[in-house]
Amino acid sequence: LIFYPLMIFSMKNLMAFKILKKSIERIFNAAKTHQAKIKKYGVPGLFFFVLCPLPMTGPVVGGVIGYFMGLRSWLNMAVVLSATYITITVWALLLPEVHRRAEAHSQATPVILFIGILIIGLVGRFVCRYMARNHQLKTAGH
């Protein structure tokens, strides 16, 4: 609810936020990448895009895609927020069961799983940054 108007204002060049510039550019790029696939399916496609727990999906990018699709703000927010609330509810119901099953093996298993996921995320972030930096160096050199 906070980032949607900030991004729209940035896109219309009404406001500029230096702190958020890189994040907003990544979100716009992700939205443009997924827009054609989602526009083909309309509102249900946007709903399932926001519902899907993958990188660069979710309410912020979904809101921008809805804007690119030309949805009215109230419809865009209704779709994005309903998918977000359903996702939160599913995770809230699912995680205790995952925790219970992991704890059945050992009490340390949930902590080990959390640390493992955290390490995978950090390594993935550094690899993406490294690849982006190398790509920029290659394109700047030509």
Side-chain angles (χ1 to χ4, degrees):
L1 291 174
I2 293 171
F3 283 107
Y4 179 75
L6 294 177
M7 280 189 266
I8 301 310
F9 289 151
S10 293
M11 201 159 80
K12 292 184 176 185
N13 294 322
L14 297 174
M15 291 181 160
F17 300 96
K18 287 184 179 183
I19 296 172
L20 299 175
K21 186 177 181 188
K22 284 186 180 182
S23 297
I24 289 173
E25 285 176 3
R26 273 197 319 258
I27 291 167
F28 281 155
N29 290 336
K32 285 181 182 179
T33 301
H34 297 294
Q35 178 190 2
K37 292 180 243 174
I38 294 167
K39 193 171 188 175
K40 176 169 53 172
Y41 298 107
V43 171
L46 179 62
F47 179 84
F48 286 109
F49 177 82
V50 174
L51 196 67
C52 185
L54 295 173
M56 291 312 283
T57 65
V60 177
V61 177
V64 174
I65 290 173
Y67 176 79
F68 286 157
M69 288 171 56
L71 297 179
R72 293 179 180 255
S73 293
W74 67 269
L75 178 60
N76 192 3
M77 288 294 102
V79 171
V80 168
L81 290 175
S82 62
T84 301
Y85 293 148
I86 290 171
T87 302
I88 291 169
T89 303
V90 167
W91 279 110
L93 296 173
L94 181 68
L95 285 178
E97 178 64 20
V98 171
H99 186 272
R100 185 185 63 75
R101 287 182 182 220
E103 207 171 44
H105 295 285
S106 166
Q107 284 195 343
T109 304
V111 174
I112 293 169
L113 283 173
F114 174 76
I115 292 170
I117 291 169
L118 186 66
I119 289 170
I120 290 169
L122 290 172
V123 167
R125 183 167 174 87
F126 288 124
V127 167
C128 286
R129 280 188 175 181
Y130 176 77
M131 290 173 62
R133 189 174 299 134
N134 279 349
H135 179 71
Q136 287 175 348
L137 290 175
K138 286 179 184 178
T139 56
H142 285 81

